[in-house]
């Protein structure tokens, strides 16, 4: 596997590349070469880079805390165990990892029951100022959460990638193994369903 | 500037939302121009803007997940070089070796006077039949002069 290796740090001269310190600026793709060589520090740095966006994507796609945590753990496990399969000539480490994560999310979708989890502390009174505005905000958040929970995971995934990550139709199509036209249709239907559900709850 | 029908403009807003920056480059100017003079399109745009705001609120909400357990992952054994990639390097050598074997066998069979080892033990008619079969085999598998040049 040919990869652009980062310049070894001072520790590399002492104990070899496996123990090299990991700078924050090292790209995920460069870190993958070290991860493939069994470098646990590089893996920890890679997890730090990719964990938050991965968790956000899994949580918003699945809307189930346990399932989203499990999918993230599985995705990073694959990143570690299958690191030697990564080929930088075929794309970035982030894109490779995102593909693993999305496949796991979509594989998991049939096992998820379509109910919305009530967040911890939902019914606890808040002592912060302007309780009326907070109540309005909480109501708006609860309405959008409930409506999103009624969409299917592919729709939530497309909405998250397009509106949350700012990805293009073509990038989303590649990540979801479909066409840009199909993604447009998926987004159009998702937005339309969402709009109708939100209008219904506003009338209630 | 690509001309748009109001229906096509509404379809783009329905899938892409109200932010012109997210619309396809080739229709952005005409969509904005159309929205400025078509009240129905302007209403669709306002509705899409409200939905975008709801979505932004949903996307900004905190993610309540526990951190990834790195130690549990690195305790697992890593896969070494993938089998497919390791085998790939041998493929040309295997093809070349197979071709050499076929040509060597064909050449040996085509040599004059070559008979199979058990030919002496067979009756004369069977030997003649076997000889014809060997000749047919050699005819099919012996390379021509032009093929020899290629090899």
């Amino acid at each position: 596997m040919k990869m652009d290796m980062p310049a070894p740090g001072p520790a590399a001269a002492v104990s070899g590349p496996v123990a090299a310190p990991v700078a924050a600026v090292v790209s995920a793709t460069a870190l993958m070469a070290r991860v493939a060589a069994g470098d646990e520090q590089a893996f920890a740095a890679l997890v730090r880079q990719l964990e938050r966006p991965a968790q956000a994507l899994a949580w918003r796609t699945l809307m189930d805390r346990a399932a989203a945590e499990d999918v993230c753990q599985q995705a990073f496990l694959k990143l570690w165990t299958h690191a030697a399969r990564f080929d930088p000539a075929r794309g970035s480490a982030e894109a490779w990892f995102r593909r693993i994560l999305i496949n796991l999310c979509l594989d998991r979708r049939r096992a998820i029951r379509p109910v919305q989890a009530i967040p911890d502390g939902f019914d606890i009174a808040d002592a912060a100022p302007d309780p009326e505005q907070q109540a309005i905000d909480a109501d708006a958040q609860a309405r959008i959460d409930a409506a999103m929970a009624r969409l299917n995971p592919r729709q939530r995934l497309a909405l998250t990638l397009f509106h949350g990550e700012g990805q293009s139709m073509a990038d989303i199509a590649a990540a979801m193994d479909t066409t840009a036209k199909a993604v447009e249709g998926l987004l159009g239907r998702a937005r339309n369903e969402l709009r109708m559900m939100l209008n219904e709850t506003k009338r209630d | 500037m690509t001309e748009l029908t109001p229906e096509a403009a509404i379809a783009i807003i329905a899938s892409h939302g109200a932010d012109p920056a997210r619309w396809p480059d080739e229709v952005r100017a005409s969509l904005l121009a159309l929205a400025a003079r078509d009240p129905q399109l302007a209403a669709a745009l306002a509705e899409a803007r409200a939905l975008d705001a709801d979505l932004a609120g949903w996307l900004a909400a905190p993610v309540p997940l526990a951190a990834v357990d790195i130690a549990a992952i690195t305790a697992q054994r890593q896969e070494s070089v993938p089998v497919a990639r390791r085998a790939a390097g041998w493929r040309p050598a295997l093809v070349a070796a197979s071709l050499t074997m076929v040509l060597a066998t064909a050449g040996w069979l085509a040599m004059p006077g070559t008979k199979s080892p058990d030919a002496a033990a067979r009756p004369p008619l069977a030997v003649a039949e076997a000889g014809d079969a060997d000749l047919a085999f050699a005819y099919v598998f012996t390379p021509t002069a032009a093929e020899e040049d290629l090899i």
Side-chain angles (χ1 to χ4, degrees):
Chain A
M1 188 165 61
K2 193 182 170 196
M3 297 182 86
D4 294 332
M5 291 287 287
V14 179
S15 47
V18 169
V22 177
V25 290
V26 176
S27 77
T29 301
L31 284 171
M32 275 304 293
R34 291 165 62 176
V35 171
D39 185 339
E40 294 181 10
Q41 280 187 1
F43 180 69
L46 197 54
V47 172
R48 281 195 294 275
Q49 274 190 28
L50 304 176
E51 185 178 33
R52 292 184 74 174
Q55 286 181 327
L57 190 61
W59 164 247
R60 286 172 189 140
T61 301
L62 298 172
M63 291 192 79
D64 179 293
R65 186 175 175 165
E69 282 175 354
D70 189 44
V71 155
C72 285
Q73 189 72 19
Q74 291 297 321
F76 280 108
L77 177 63
K78 281 198 174 201
L79 192 73
W80 170 253
T81 56
H82 297 169
R85 292 188 191 186
F86 171 67
D87 183 358
R90 297 175 65 185
S92 68
E94 289 95 333
W96 187 63
F97 175 70
R98 185 186 281 123
R99 191 84 186 248
I100 292 172
L101 184 73
I102 286 173
N103 285 340
L104 287 169
C105 283
L106 294 179
D107 284 348
R108 183 61 72 98
R109 71 184 191 271
R110 289 180 197 90
I112 304 294
R113 61 197 188 287
V115 296
Q116 185 199 0
I118 296 171
D120 295 339
F122 179 77
D123 53 354
I124 297 172
D126 199 330
D130 200 359
E132 191 179 335
Q133 186 56 47
Q134 285 203 332
I136 292 167
D137 291 346
D139 178 58
Q141 190 65 41
R143 283 192 307 108
I144 183 77
D145 281 351
M148 291 302 292
R150 287 169 66 186
L151 295 182
N152 73 51
R154 281 182 77 83
Q155 291 175 316
R156 286 198 296 267
L157 175 63
L159 287 169
T160 303
L161 292 174
F162 187 75
H163 292 284
E165 297 192 5
Q167 289 196 30
S168 68
M169 296 286 177
D171 287 344
I172 299 170
M176 294 180 72
D177 207 14
T178 185
T179 63
K181 204 74 198 160
V183 175
E184 266 185 49
L186 188 65
L187 279 169
R189 285 189 299 278
R191 288 179 61 96
N192 190 43
E193 284 176 36
L194 200 54
R195 183 178 53 80
M196 288 195 300
M197 286 189 278
L198 289 171
N199 286 344
E200 267 174 36
T201 54
K202 270 176 196 164
R203 277 199 299 271
D204 297 342
Chain B
M1 193 164 78
T2 308
E3 281 305 311
L4 270 182
T5 61
E7 292 75 27
I10 284 175
I12 290 168
I13 293 168
S15 57
H16 292 70
D19 181 2
R22 304 308 312 276
W23 298 341
D25 294 340
E26 65 274 14
V27 298
R28 188 176 300 119
S30 45
L31 211 162
L32 284 169
L34 203 55
R37 61 178 188 266
D38 184 332
Q40 198 188 350
L41 205 55
L45 210 48
E47 201 165 29
R49 211 170 282 128
L51 187 59
D52 285 354
D54 285 333
L55 272 169
W58 182 70
L59 289 162
V63 176
L65 302 192
V68 169
D69 186 348
I70 296 174
I73 291 172
T74 51
Q76 302 290 316
R77 234 180 90 236
Q78 280 185 302
E79 187 186 82
S80 54
V81 181
V83 176
R85 207 177 296 169
R86 201 168 43 207
W90 287 96
R91 261 182 226 144
L94 279 172
V95 170
S98 305
L99 190 62
T100 307
M101 284 280 286
V102 167
L103 291 176
T105 308
W108 177 73
L109 288 170
M111 277 170 62
T114 304
K115 287 180 182 170
S116 55
D118 60 336
R122 289 186 225 155
L125 185 62
V127 171
E129 283 169 359
D132 289 345
D134 287 348
L135 278 175
F137 185 83
Y139 179 75
V140 172
F141 288 102
T142 304
T144 64
E147 287 166 346
E148 286 282 10
D149 287 342
L150 284 173
I151 295 164

